[in-house]
Amino acid sequence: MSKFLKAEYKELSPYVPGEQPKDRAYVKLNTNESPFPPSPFALKLLRESAEGNNLYPDPEYTAIRNVAAEKLGVGKENVLFTNGSDEALSFAYAAYCAGKTAVFADITYGFYEVFADFYGAKKKIIPLKKDFTLCVNDYKNAGGTVFIANPNAPTGLLLTTEEIETVLKGNPDNVVVVDEAYIDFGGQSAVPLIKKYDNLIVVRTFSKSRSLAGIRLGMAIADEKLIKDLKLVKYSTNPYNVSGAGVYAGIGALLDEEYFLFTCAKIIANREKMKKELARQGFSVTDSAANFVFAKRDGISGEKLYLALKEKGVLVRYFNKRGIEDYVRITVGNDEEVNALLTATGEIVKEKL
Ligand code: PMP
């Protein structure tokens, strides 16, 4: 760190992305990407977009906003496109939390705490129950902007729309951000609620169910006034926040409904197979509604399990954090990857017994 860095930044602990080791070929189940390539139609549009790259993209991203708005059943004034959903979250922190309070669960997406620290927000951290469920009544008059991942990460547990509505009703004076990165794998989206609640921002990503993590595309969906707040941040920091190529790929992914439904269904089926087989091998597995499972086995710490799997060529994510140190988070892969994982866990269980 240089002596020039702003004093407030010196103590920051930035987000640590999942490892991408190059020492050997791994079955990579550690960053919750889709195991499937982008849709063929997304790739076709992506290729066709190449020639237009001498020009800046339309900073309003009108073409993709129209497509997304129609799909979501909202107006195009209710949609803002961002560079991955992390940027949508970042805009919300900048708009509502800097110098104020951010409210989130003790076990949730790690970036919420990183953003809070970066933007100088106070943190109100609300513990989940022992079984990792979130009690929505704990969020009544939360005293700051609420961030809820639904399904939650890394537990995969889902809240119902009624529960989300309880949080919205209990916070008429606070913005509530519902991060739906994994909603397409089994949950009911809160997007229709934006018509009823002017304090709701739904954040979505193209990195998971739309197979476009490398493209970096996300969106915020909300009442027009909230979208204008986020746009203020965008136009004050990075007006062309999404690449032209990203827009084309995103349009292709949105329009290729058949591919989207097929890949989601496959991931859901593989997730259920992983849950069942891991349980059969003696693991405790949460009832994840996401594209990952969260599992532990008595007698093996999360770190040991992570290391043993790495040794066998399977990468998973382990969190050195109180309350979840016994667990690993395993992304749902394709058939081959799931079989490799289950073979490896089976061997580890036998070796330890
Ligand atoms: N929210 C949650 C809950 C996530 O797990 C992730 C993925 N790390 C993101 C948001 C950000 O995803 P992206 O920036 O790729 O859209």
Side-chain angles (χ1 to χ4, degrees):
M1 231 69 97
S2 83
K3 64 180 180 187
F4 305 107
L5 183 68
K6 182 172 152 155
E8 291 87 335
Y9 287 176
K10 287 192 176 147
E11 302 303 320
L12 288 178
S13 313
Y15 182 71
V16 182
E19 59 184 328
Q20 314 262 11
K22 303 275 181 267
D23 58 323
R24 62 184 269 199
Y26 286 97
V27 174
K28 200 174 164 300
L29 302 178
N30 67 333
T31 42
N32 295 346
E33 292 134 326
S34 173
F36 302 110
S39 114
F41 189 52
L43 289 178
K44 180 173 181 283
L45 293 193
L46 186 60
R47 275 186 218 105
E48 283 174 14
S49 73
E51 279 187 14
N53 275 317
N54 55 317
L55 301 179
Y56 284 113
D58 161 20
E60 286 290 306
Y61 303 108
T62 315
I64 191 164
R65 274 169 61 219
N66 282 337
V67 175
E70 199 186 319
K71 287 245 158 222
L72 294 165
V74 299
K76 78 170 189 312
E77 66 283 0
N78 300 120
V79 184
L80 176 78
F81 270 85
T82 54
N83 196 286
S85 58
D86 279 338
E87 191 184 50
L89 295 168
S90 178
F91 286 175
Y93 269 88
Y96 309 114
C97 304
K100 295 185 176 171
T101 302
V103 184
F104 48 88
D106 59 344
I107 297 165
T108 189
Y109 183 34
F111 223 140
Y112 300 157
E113 184 154 18
V114 174
F115 279 134
D117 291 340
F118 182 79
Y119 285 108
K122 286 192 213 78
K123 294 175 279 192
K124 181 170 167 189
I125 297 178
I126 302 181
L128 296 178
K129 287 201 242 160
K130 263 214 136 33
D131 61 359
F132 300 137
T133 52
L134 182 151
C135 178
V136 285
N137 294 327
D138 294 346
Y139 288 74
K140 196 169 166 52
N141 293 321
T145 304
V146 176
F147 290 83
I148 292 181
N150 193 38
N152 197 10
T155 64
L157 297 188
L158 188 69
L159 293 173
T160 62
T161 307
E162 290 70 39
E163 287 173 307
I164 295 290
E165 221 170 334
T166 303
V167 178
L168 290 163
K169 279 189 194 140
N171 285 282
D173 299 322
N174 300 311
V175 172
V176 175
V177 178
V178 179
D179 177 352
E180 294 191 339
Y182 303 102
I183 199 74
D184 292 327
F185 303 109
Q188 205 184 346
S189 174
V191 165
L193 297 180
I194 68 154
K195 294 186 180 141
K196 210 163 145 195
Y197 297 95
D198 62 4
N199 58 337
L200 168 64
I201 298 177
V202 179
V203 170
R204 300 282 282 269
T205 181
F206 285 63
S207 299
K208 318 292 177 185
S209 57
R210 302 276 173 186
S211 294
L212 287 176
I215 284 291
R216 311 303 304 128
L217 199 58
M219 52 185 169
I221 304 129
D223 180 82
E224 190 177 0
K225 284 196 182 131
L226 295 178
I227 293 293
K228 282 189 173 155
D229 298 343
L230 302 180
K231 259 194 193 177
L232 179 81
V233 179
K234 164 188 146 94
Y235 279 104
S236 304
T237 53
N238 190 11
Y240 304 106
N241 57 330
V242 174
S243 72
V247 166
Y248 275 84
I251 291 175
L254 284 174
L255 291 178
D256 197 344
E257 190 72 14
E258 203 181 318
Y259 187 81
F260 165 72
L261 293 174
F262 171 76
T263 51
C264 285
K266 189 68 201 160
I267 289 167
I268 291 168
N270 283 1
R271 176 188 71 210
E272 295 309 310
K273 177 179 167 181
M274 280 168 71
K275 281 187 196 167
K276 212 171 108 198
E277 284 301 308
L278 286 170
R280 215 179 47 77
Q281 292 178 359
F283 286 81
S284 311
V285 190
T286 62
D287 189 19
S288 171
N291 69 339
F292 52 82
V293 299
F294 197 51
K296 71 164 180 177
R297 196 169 192 285
D298 288 344
I300 312 176
S301 73
E303 187 179 18
K304 273 205 178 128
L305 192 53
Y306 152 77
L307 287 171
L309 283 167
K310 190 170 179 186
E311 180 98 9
K312 291 179 185 296
V314 181
L315 275 188
V316 300
R317 189 99 197 234
Y318 147 73
F319 302 90
N320 186 10
K321 185 181 162 88
R322 251 184 77 181
I324 54 171
E325 62 273 62
D326 290 341
Y327 283 81
V328 290
R329 189 198 68 193
I330 314 169
T331 305
V332 177
N334 60 25
D335 290 345
E336 207 181 308
E337 291 167 327
V338 169
N339 290 338
L341 178 266
L342 293 171
T343 304
T345 49
E347 285 170 9
I348 290 165
V349 166
K350 275 205 197 112
E351 286 159 16
K352 300 286 160 197
L353 289 178

